[in-house]
Amino acid sequence: MKMEIVRLEAGNDALVMWIAEDVFDEPVRPDRLAAYLSQPGHFMVVALADGAVVGQCAAVIHRHPDKVAELYIDEVGVSPAFQRQGIARKMLDAMFAIGRENGCEEAWVGTEPDNLPARALYESRKEPHGEAESFVMYAYRL
């Protein structure tokens, strides 16, 4: 099986037509994917195995008036059949490279306290600032 990590850009979003189970939270709508990819500072990489999307990582650059730009890793998902093969790590590496290319000096990601596989992945990357921080999040319906 041929595995590759590909950066999606406007125009090559047709790569996301054959998606393995549980890569995304919901079905991917082509109009939403095209809108996402067309926005400056929005990035997505996918893992392809024999033409099927088996993993995805999405991120957004946050720019601030008082500090350096940072890369927010919004989502990382790998189909259960392809987990524990280093795919998420490769996608994070690709996304970190994109962040550096775009002037980001830091990346951050959050997960639920009980998501042990995600926490193991993130904690295995003991780079500067690679430790978990306390965080409280509020979500508002608009």
Side-chain angles (χ1 to χ4, degrees):
M1 172 177 23
K2 181 183 176 190
M3 176 75 61
E4 62 181 322
I5 306 299
V6 176
R7 178 178 172 177
L8 289 185
E9 299 184 65
N12 72 350
D13 51 330
L15 290 172
V16 186
M17 293 302 111
W18 186 25
I19 304 170
E21 182 180 349
D22 294 328
V23 172
F24 290 89
D25 295 330
E26 303 289 334
V28 174
R29 287 186 25 189
D31 60 326
R32 288 181 179 169
L33 178 59
Y36 182 89
L37 294 174
S38 70
Q39 291 297 309
H42 285 66
F43 304 100
M44 180 173 283
V45 296
V46 294
L48 298 175
D50 295 330
V53 174
V54 299
Q56 60 89 14
C57 179
V60 178
I61 292 179
H62 283 254
R63 299 192 187 281
H64 304 276
D66 61 334
K67 50 190 164 185
V68 298
E70 58 191 11
L71 186 70
Y72 165 56
I73 309 293
D74 184 42
E75 290 192 89
V76 179
V78 176
S79 176
F82 291 87
Q83 291 176 357
R84 310 227 24 101
Q85 298 178 32
I87 295 170
R89 178 181 303 280
K90 290 176 185 173
M91 290 189 303
L92 281 176
D93 288 345
M95 195 58 78
F96 290 167
I98 291 169
R100 285 189 295 274
E101 289 168 14
N102 285 274
C104 295
E105 295 183 18
E106 186 171 271
W108 62 281
V109 62
T111 192
E112 297 80 10
D114 63 346
N115 188 341
L116 299 181
R119 291 184 61 188
L121 168 66
Y122 304 142
E123 290 171 10
S124 73
R125 303 189 63 92
K126 291 295 183 185
E127 298 166 10
H129 307 293
E131 300 84 31
E133 296 182 17
S134 296
F135 183 76
V136 178
M137 185 181 96
Y138 298 89
Y140 298 93
R141 225 168 156 72
L142 303 178

